[in-house]
Amino acid sequence: MKLLTGEYRNTLDEKGRILFPVKLRNELFSNNEKTTLIVTQSFDRCLWLYTVDEWAKLSSKIMDTASPFNKQNRLVLRSLIAPAQEIELDKSGRLSIPQSLREYANLTKDCVILGINKYIELWDLETYSNYLLENEESLKDAAEALSEISF
C-alpha cells in the first residue's frame, strides 16, 4: 500500500454516503480487491478509517496489551474497538457511514477527508476548522518539539 496523503472535501448525501476520493481508492485498493474499510470513532470527534489489514494490526496490538480489568483500558476498548464497523464501498465509490458514527463525528453535509499515512480521518468541515483554530498554538509547540528531526 502506498502512503495515504492529501486533504479532500466532499459532501455527505441525504443517505449518509460520501464519495471516496479516487486517488485514495487507487492507493488503497488494487487488483479488484474487496473495497472494504473499517470505520471507527477517533478521539477528536472525527472518524478513523483503516484497511482491513491495518485495522487487524492495530486492534491486535491494542487487544494484546489492554486488560478488561483496567478502567482506562476499558474506556479505550469501548471508545475505539467496540464502535468499529466494516463498510464496503459501493460500485460508485461511496462509503455509507452508519448513523451512530455520523452522530459521533457530527457529520452533516460538508466533510473533510485526510490521508494520514496508514489511515484516513473523516471530519465534519466546521468541526475540523474549529479544531484547527483551537489548536493553532499547540500545533506550533508540537512542531517545535520536532526540531531535532533533520533532513
Side-chain angles (χ1 to χ4, degrees), residues 86-123:
E86 189 173 298
I87 305 170
E88 189 168 349
L89 272 72
D90 67 15
K91 292 177 183 176
S92 299
R94 294 174 300 194
L95 192 65
S96 184
I97 308 298
Q99 180 70 27
S100 61
L101 293 174
R102 287 196 316 263
E103 288 173 3
Y104 170 80
N106 195 33
L107 300 178
T108 53
K109 184 171 179 163
D110 295 322
C111 297
V112 177
I113 300 169
L114 302 173
I116 305 181
N117 196 344
K118 293 186 178 186
Y119 70 99
I120 296 163
E121 289 185 347
L122 176 58
W123 288 81

Side-chain angles (χ1 to χ4, degrees), residues 126-139:
E126 185 177 345
T127 302
Y128 183 63
S129 297
N130 290 337
Y131 173 84
L132 290 177
L133 285 173
E134 291 167 7
N135 290 284
E136 192 171 4
E137 284 303 314
S138 296
L139 172 60

Side-chain angles (χ1 to χ4, degrees), residues 31-49:
N31 304 328
N32 295 326
E33 288 178 27
K34 187 175 180 184
T35 52
T36 301
L37 292 172
I38 307 300
V39 182
T40 193
Q41 298 176 172
S42 171
F43 302 108
D44 295 312
R45 289 291 171 180
C46 70
L47 301 179
W48 281 346
L49 291 72

Side-chain angles (χ1 to χ4, degrees), residues 6-81:
E7 180 177 318
Y8 308 88
R9 308 257 170 129
N10 274 333
T11 56
L12 202 65
D13 70 14
E14 65 281 346
K15 294 182 181 178
R17 299 173 302 192
I18 190 163
L19 184 63
F20 209 71
V22 173
K23 182 178 182 286
L24 291 179
R25 274 188 301 204
N26 291 341
E27 290 175 6
L28 287 170
F29 310 110
S30 60
N31 304 328
N32 295 326
E33 288 178 27
K34 187 175 180 184
T35 52
T36 301
L37 292 172
I38 307 300
V39 182
T40 193
Q41 298 176 172
S42 171
F43 302 108
D44 295 312
R45 289 291 171 180
C46 70
L47 301 179
W48 281 346
L49 291 72
Y50 288 88
T51 63
V52 172
D53 291 342
E54 286 298 325
W55 177 253
K57 291 177 196 174
L58 176 63
S59 62
S60 178
K61 287 178 184 177
I62 292 170
M63 294 306 298
D64 287 347
T65 57
S67 168
F69 300 105
N70 178 288
K71 183 178 180 178
Q72 289 179 326
N73 290 180
R74 287 192 309 271
L75 182 59
V76 171
L77 294 174
R78 291 174 183 149
S79 299
L80 183 66
I81 303 294

